Amino acid sequence: LHKLSRALLFDIYATVENLPGSLPAREAVVKKALEYLGALVADSGGRPELSRDLASAYQRVGEIQGHPFFANLGDTAGCLASLRTALEMRERLLAGDPGNVDLTRDRNTSLNGIGSVLAWTGDVSGGLAMLRRAQASRGRLAACLPDDRRLQRDLAASALTISGRSSAFCVVL
């Protein structure tokens, strides 16, 4: 079931995502993937390695459902629900292993995704709050690991995202 849900989200979906007229197929893939993910969560037994994979799968489903910066199905509510599920799972994992850099990066990805979607849909203050949480966490990581180029890149991307969003929102408002 785990392998099947990963194949649906990361392999099969990618083959149909850009095909003309593929919307019904893409919607079916997401619906089936959510069913499988729900069953896997119920049977996961809290195993960290499986929980981490499930959180990544929920993140991907959310992006597919309605993230404005990805080809999506236009389901913003479903997107936010899936991204929040990924965030909750990642925060639980991080609570059990607070010094884990990879889990922190994953959590920051979820915060950034939710922040972007909220901001895009008009919840500017909620979106910026999430984006700032991700940026602050990335700043703490980068201070601890100054030679990690990926962390430096993530921190710079956070700063650009927030400054770009703030400027865009000022123009819109």
Side-chain angles (χ1 to χ4, degrees):
L1 197 54
H2 182 220
K3 287 180 183 177
L4 182 58
S5 65
R6 285 193 60 78
L8 277 172
L9 288 172
F10 296 97
D11 300 332
I12 296 169
Y13 186 86
T15 63
V16 300
E17 133 179 72
N18 294 318
L19 294 176
S22 68
L23 182 61
R26 292 185 294 140
E27 289 171 336
V29 167
V30 167
K31 181 180 178 186
K32 192 54 74 177
L34 284 170
E35 289 174 21
Y36 292 155
L37 290 173
L40 281 168
V41 168
D43 293 339
S44 71
R47 292 182 308 211
E49 66 282 348
L50 181 55
S51 293
R52 187 167 182 209
D53 279 352
L54 291 172
S56 294
Y58 273 106
Q59 183 80 29
R60 178 69 177 132
V61 167
E63 293 166 355
I64 292 168
Q65 286 173 301
H67 196 290
F69 305 137
F70 296 92
N72 69 71
L73 303 176
D75 179 9
T76 306
C79 168
L80 283 170
S82 293
L83 293 178
R84 285 181 173 131
T85 298
L87 176 61
E88 289 168 12
M89 295 176 83
R90 288 171 167 168
E91 286 182 334
R92 275 194 305 274
L93 287 166
L94 200 51
D97 190 2
N100 189 310
V101 173
D102 291 328
L103 291 176
T104 304
R105 285 179 199 199
D106 291 346
R107 194 257 335 262
N108 293 339
T109 297
S110 291
L111 289 170
N112 206 69
I114 293 168
S116 294
V117 174
L118 288 174
W120 185 264
T121 59
D123 182 358
V124 175
S125 62
L128 285 174
M130 292 296 239
L131 292 168
R132 286 183 179 127
R133 276 184 62 197
Q135 182 185 34
S137 177
R138 287 173 171 153
R140 288 188 298 274
L141 277 180
C144 293
L145 300 165
D147 295 330
D148 188 321
R149 295 175 81 101
R150 181 175 164 200
L151 283 173
Q152 298 299 325
R153 184 198 69 219
D154 290 348
L155 181 59
S158 280
L160 289 171
T161 299
I162 289 173
S163 67
R165 298 237 184 287
S166 298
S167 300
F169 297 144
C170 289
V171 171
V172 170
L173 297 174

